[in-house]
Amino acid sequence: DQAISLAESLLAENTKDEVALEILTVIDLLGQFEAGSTIIESETAENPVQKRRFTMPHNGDWEDVLFMHPPASLSFSVELPEEATKLRLRNALAPESWDWGGDGVTFVATIAGQDQAPIEVYRQHISNETADRDWHMAEIPLAQYAGETITLTLATENGPQGDGTGDWAGWGSPRILFTSE
């Protein structure tokens, strides 16, 4: 579809293009969280799962995030359309936590189809090192689940050394979008 293709081009130029997001968004997962239609599987008592805003100090690029200090996980029951879709994420660590030490956070997404065990579809470690101090974009195709109701789980894990220091993790505006791919 031409409208989807054009909207994808706009979104590639500006990750917050409102018209493109309106055309492409099937499900705004942050909106579902705010509406209370999610299941918090686990969270740390001192840092509960919540909506926050992270702003990158070097360029002002901001994103509203699902703040999840590991170990934490949140599940969504999602009814996907018959058309092709993808899960779009922009992940980062909170800038204020960069200099606190620690070994970073591992972001994990799993999907359980109808009557299926969860399958890991995304895993990315983001450290507190200078090179990782920005947004990390990911797009996960969901075509194999078209027309199904799935359980999508977003989780955060401590880094490789198990050090939870400075692990202020954010799933930036996670959305399920229509795609032309």
Side-chain angles (χ1 to χ4, degrees), residues 66-117:
L66 277 171
F67 174 83
M68 296 175 70
H69 187 286
S73 63
L74 183 64
S75 292
F76 303 83
S77 179
V78 177
E79 188 176 327
L80 295 175
E82 293 291 336
E83 296 82 9
T85 58
K86 63 185 173 186
L87 171 62
R88 184 172 184 269
L89 313 162
R90 277 190 8 137
N91 298 331
L93 300 184
E96 60 267 33
S97 72
W98 289 343
D99 294 323
W100 296 349
D103 61 344
V105 175
T106 302
F107 293 80
V108 181
T110 61
I111 293 176
Q114 295 168 327
D115 302 321
Q116 294 176 340

Side-chain angles (χ1 to χ4, degrees), residues 130-145:
T130 303
D132 274 354
R133 293 179 176 182
D134 209 343
W135 293 105
H136 299 262
M137 174 74 77
E139 293 184 343
I140 296 103
L142 301 175
Q144 71 188 74
Y145 303 102

Side-chain angles (χ1 to χ4, degrees), residues 117-176:
I119 297 169
E120 188 174 293
V121 295
Y122 173 77
R123 175 175 288 269
Q124 181 177 20
H125 177 74
I126 299 175
S127 74
N128 282 321
E129 300 298 321
T130 303
D132 274 354
R133 293 179 176 182
D134 209 343
W135 293 105
H136 299 262
M137 174 74 77
E139 293 184 343
I140 296 103
L142 301 175
Q144 71 188 74
Y145 303 102
E148 290 186 34
T149 298
I150 62 169
T151 300
L152 169 65
T153 302
L154 302 179
T156 54
E157 300 173 354
N158 290 328
Q161 281 102 36
D163 185 348
T165 307
D167 286 359
W168 282 19
W171 292 89
S173 294
R175 295 174 183 267
I176 294 175

Side-chain angles (χ1 to χ4, degrees), residues 20-55:
L21 285 172
E22 186 173 326
I23 291 168
L24 295 174
T25 299
V26 177
I27 300 165
D28 174 357
L29 298 170
L30 189 57
Q32 277 203 341
F33 171 76
E34 288 183 292
S37 50
T38 58
I39 298 168
I40 297 174
E41 304 288 348
S42 65
E43 64 182 350
T44 58
E46 69 274 9
N47 290 300
V49 175
Q50 58 188 271
K51 177 184 174 182
R52 290 195 183 177
R53 179 170 285 183
F54 290 179
T55 303

